[in-house]
Amino acid sequence: MASHAEEVAAGAVWTTCGYRSETAALRSVLLVRPPDSVGAVRRPGASLMVGPVDLPAMRAQCDALADRLRDDGVEVHLAAPEASPNVVFARDLFWMTPAGAVLARMASAQRAGEERHAALALAGAGFPILRTVSGTAVFEGADALWIDPSTVVVGTGFRTNAAGAAAVASAVAELGARVVTVPLEPGVQHLLGTVVFLGPSTAVVHRAACPPELAALLAAYGYRVIPLPPDEELLVRRGMNLLVLAPERVLMPSGCPGIRRTLERAGVAVDEIDVGAYLRAAGGIGCVTGVVRREH
């Protein structure tokens, strides 16, 4: 009898999903259409936002992102739950393995319960839920990244704790992979805000937020590191909060010419898209896009 992972890969019992590389060609994503609750926010700070958000503009930007990805051959699963406003940041709500999703358990009270909307969307599309983080564990999908096909880096801090990392380790152990944890610097929300893998041996890092443990790990795995300074393009315009479409090819927020030049000088092909409304909600393209499948 075939194993569960083999059934997922075959695409007969389950819809094929997962990946073991952050930079392989993107094939399927989950986006969340901004709910009415985004336009009802009266105290942005209490909703983890940096300012009021124009709901029609955010919806238009969501549609434009979906169209841009479809033009690139990416299958877009568009969920439309009536939920709290931060549900638009689908990357946090799950993390996908080749055998199915590890469903997050959100650390912040404002986002508690958003996970169930991701679960409904994923299950409705035929993707299996491999693990649901529970107990005292907290884990958010933007804290887990494949550094190579057999190793997952999990950033621990105030969004993912040691028990959350252990839940991820349990899930990938069945796939012959292991987890290496790195502590995030104080104030850093997610590992994805510290490092983004651009190709099999290239990574871009937030220079001021990269802990020594992560720097040593990148060196040990032979990565060429592109450091970015903590300037306005990085911290306010979220230029590093990008989406890798294929090795050395990315989609990034518009309005970050310095970061774009740095990436292009490193041999990375760059395209841009406006996500200004999402920036007001304290997130970018990487946060918005729940990665479901990349080429194996």
Side-chain angles (χ1 to χ4, degrees):
M1 181 179 179
S3 70
H4 171 71
E6 289 170 338
E7 289 177 342
V8 174
V13 178
W14 300 98
T15 304
T16 303
C17 61
Y19 54 99
R20 287 179 181 261
S21 166
E22 300 295 330
T23 66
L26 187 63
R27 288 292 173 253
S28 181
V29 302
L30 173 67
L31 301 180
V32 176
R33 185 164 174 77
D36 291 343
S37 59
V38 170
V41 171
R42 296 294 174 263
R43 295 172 56 229
S47 295
L48 307 178
M49 297 179 172
V50 298
V53 176
D54 183 328
L55 176 59
M58 182 181 269
R59 284 179 170 166
Q61 288 169 12
C62 177
D63 292 341
L65 176 59
D67 288 342
R68 172 63 183 79
L69 293 174
R70 291 188 187 105
D71 288 345
D72 207 61
V74 178
E75 182 180 34
V76 176
H77 301 272
L78 187 61
E82 281 307 322
S84 55
N86 290 286
V87 74
V88 298
F89 298 122
R91 181 65 177 262
D92 301 338
L93 303 180
F94 67 96
W95 179 71
M96 193 65 78
T97 79
V102 176
L103 200 65
R105 181 168 182 259
M106 308 305 289
S108 60
Q110 294 96 326
R111 302 196 65 182
E114 290 178 14
E115 311 93 326
R116 66 190 180 95
H117 300 292
L120 285 168
L122 293 169
F127 303 114
I129 307 296
L130 187 63
R131 289 283 190 287
T132 299
V133 175
S134 60
T136 59
V138 289
F139 165 70
E140 300 189 7
D143 275 329
L145 299 170
W146 291 94
I147 193 169
D148 78 0
S150 62
T151 311
V152 181
V153 183
V154 175
T156 56
F158 68 96
R159 296 297 185 97
T160 294
N161 61 13
V168 175
S170 172
V172 300
E174 298 175 2
L175 304 171
R178 68 184 184 115
V179 158
V180 177
T181 61
V182 295
L184 300 180
E185 294 291 296
V188 175
Q189 291 191 4
H190 293 121
L191 180 64
L192 193 63
T194 301
V195 60
V196 177
F197 297 107
L198 304 176
S201 59
T202 303
V204 61
V205 300
H206 177 179
R207 187 177 66 199
C210 184
E213 295 88 347
L214 178 58
L217 194 64
L218 293 170
Y221 277 79
Y223 273 84
R224 174 182 59 138
V225 172
I226 305 168
L228 296 178
D231 58 11
E232 183 187 6
E233 288 192 11
L234 180 70
L235 301 178
V236 178
R237 302 182 205 172
R238 299 181 186 267
M240 200 179 95
N241 198 305
L242 49 78
L243 179 65
V244 177
L245 301 174
E248 316 287 347
R249 190 162 69 87
V250 305
L251 181 64
M252 67 174 286
S254 58
C256 301
I259 292 178
R260 177 169 186 158
R261 282 194 299 271
T262 297
L263 296 179
E264 288 179 334
R265 286 170 184 160
V268 178
V270 178
D271 196 3
E272 296 181 356
I273 193 168
D274 179 19
V275 289
Y278 286 102
L279 301 184
R280 300 281 289 172
I285 298 172
C287 299
V288 168
T289 310
V291 177
V292 173
R293 184 169 71 90
R294 292 184 181 274
E295 285 186 359
H296 292 294

